[in-house]
Amino acid sequence: MIFETHAHYDDKAFYEDKSEVLKALEAGGIRRVVNIGSSFNSCKDTLKLMEEYPFIYGALGIHPSDTAEMDDTVLSWIEKESRHEKCVAVGEIGLDYYWPEPDKEVQKKWFIRQLELARKLNLPVVIHSRNAAMETIEIMKECQAEEIGGVIHCFSYSKEIAKIFLDMGFYIGIGGVITFKNAKKLKEAVSYIPMDRIVVETDSPYLAPEPNRGKRNNSLNLPYVIEAISHIKQISPAQVEEATWNNGNRLYRI
Ligand code: NI
């Protein structure tokens, strides 16, 4: 049983054939999916998916790149809707300094406000952090994120940075990039991260693993991620599948 901890089936890439894609997942051994909100609209669509599909859970939050549209009304809406029984986290939230917009101060403000919301709701957080390791850690420490808990999704930093997140009790989300030939630093990090703290994700429709790199991603590609981890950890794919299933349930408190 595979636990997909991070996907975006609300994305426009799935408008045409969403129901076929989602139907195929269960047959392919994908037993739980957490659909992750990133904008106000994608949060609304995440709620619909949670209602419609028994195996889909959801996280509501505003992605750092979408924080320009964020205001107190949206935050209160997220607070209200997150009380849904299938809503398992606040996210994705964080910092993305790869893109120059929105302004760093705007991103920081809403990262902090959404961390505070997760604390109030007693939910874990799904953190997106790109080109902003030190700033992410600084805010997490200020907000005592070790008391909130959650996952660093699509982890892309070194094992030294992984240690800091692990020391705060966070899980580490590993996706398709682990199958890329040039992912040396990430492979080192995965070799270091204990097996009871790794969860698997696709970030669909993005970041498809080898041999499907560049195509539209979906959760049926997770076995490639699991296989890559099993090579690094020198255990069987079945053991990786079982461990990451258990970790996903612990992370999202299901
Ligand atoms: Ni994502």
Side-chain angles (χ1 to χ4, degrees):
M1 295 189 294
I2 296 176
F3 197 133
E4 159 72 282
T5 61
H6 192 117
H8 302 279
Y9 286 111
D10 55 281
D11 193 277
K12 60 181 182 306
F14 296 108
Y15 279 178
E16 300 273 310
D17 59 349
K18 184 168 17 207
S19 58
E20 286 86 345
V21 172
L22 291 176
K23 239 177 260 162
L25 297 190
E26 277 198 297
I30 314 296
R31 290 298 163 79
R32 276 188 179 146
V33 173
V34 179
N35 200 77
I36 308 286
S38 57
S39 64
F40 182 42
N41 279 331
S42 89
C43 287
K44 286 191 273 190
D45 290 341
T46 296
L47 285 166
K48 283 186 211 152
L49 287 167
M50 283 158 46
E51 299 283 345
E52 197 173 337
Y53 296 91
F55 66 98
I56 298 188
Y57 294 77
L60 305 182
I62 304 297
H63 185 289
S65 300
D66 284 287
T67 46
E69 70 168 30
M70 189 69 176
D71 58 27
D72 285 316
T73 314
V74 174
L75 193 72
S76 315
W77 180 87
I78 293 173
E79 177 174 350
K80 182 169 77 81
E81 299 297 336
S82 291
R83 301 189 190 273
H84 190 295
E85 58 176 359
K86 288 179 83 189
C87 186
V88 292
V90 172
E92 56 189 294
I93 63 175
L95 301 175
D96 192 323
Y97 290 174
Y98 179 79
W99 305 105
E101 300 286 334
D103 189 83
K104 288 182 180 179
E105 291 310 310
V106 172
Q107 294 191 33
K108 279 185 187 173
K109 173 186 167 183
W110 291 110
F111 183 25
I112 293 169
R113 294 287 302 278
Q114 292 184 94
L115 279 167
E116 287 166 351
L117 177 64
R119 173 188 294 283
K120 187 173 169 190
L121 291 166
N122 199 18
L123 286 174
V125 285
V126 177
I127 292 182
H128 171 107
S129 175
R130 190 177 185 195
N131 287 20
M134 286 311 159
E135 295 88 344
T136 303
I137 290 164
E138 197 180 311
I139 288 176
M140 286 171 72
K141 293 215 156 136
E142 272 170 29
C143 295
Q144 288 158 304
E146 71 279 3
E147 296 171 1
I148 299 168
V151 59
I152 309 299
H153 123 77
C154 198
F155 182 79
S156 60
Y157 300 127
S158 66
K159 69 173 187 202
E160 289 77 14
I161 301 289
K163 180 177 189 309
I164 300 172
F165 292 129
L166 290 167
D167 287 347
M168 282 194 269
F170 272 68
Y171 289 83
I172 307 289
I174 301 297
V177 176
I178 194 65
T179 66
F180 299 173
K181 272 205 186 72
N182 58 0
K184 188 164 166 268
K185 190 179 71 172
L186 183 59
K187 285 175 181 150
E188 271 172 29
V190 167
S191 143
Y192 169 76
I193 301 164
M195 202 55 239
D196 63 356
R197 300 288 280 282
I198 294 175
V199 292
V200 290
E201 61 168 71
T202 58
D203 207 17
S204 292
Y206 311 106
L207 289 171
E210 292 289 0
N212 294 321
R213 191 172 179 178
K215 295 184 190 157
R216 183 182 73 169
N217 202 0
N218 75 73
S219 309
L220 292 176
N221 283 322
L222 278 172
Y224 297 115
V225 174
I226 287 171
E227 197 187 321
I229 296 172
S230 85
H231 281 302
I232 296 167
K233 291 295 198 187
Q234 300 282 304
I235 56 177
S236 70
Q239 285 171 302
V240 175
E241 189 175 318
E242 193 191 347
T244 54
W245 170 265
N246 292 332
N247 298 344
N249 286 311
R250 265 203 324 281
L251 157 64
Y252 289 125
R253 303 165 193 167
I254 296 174

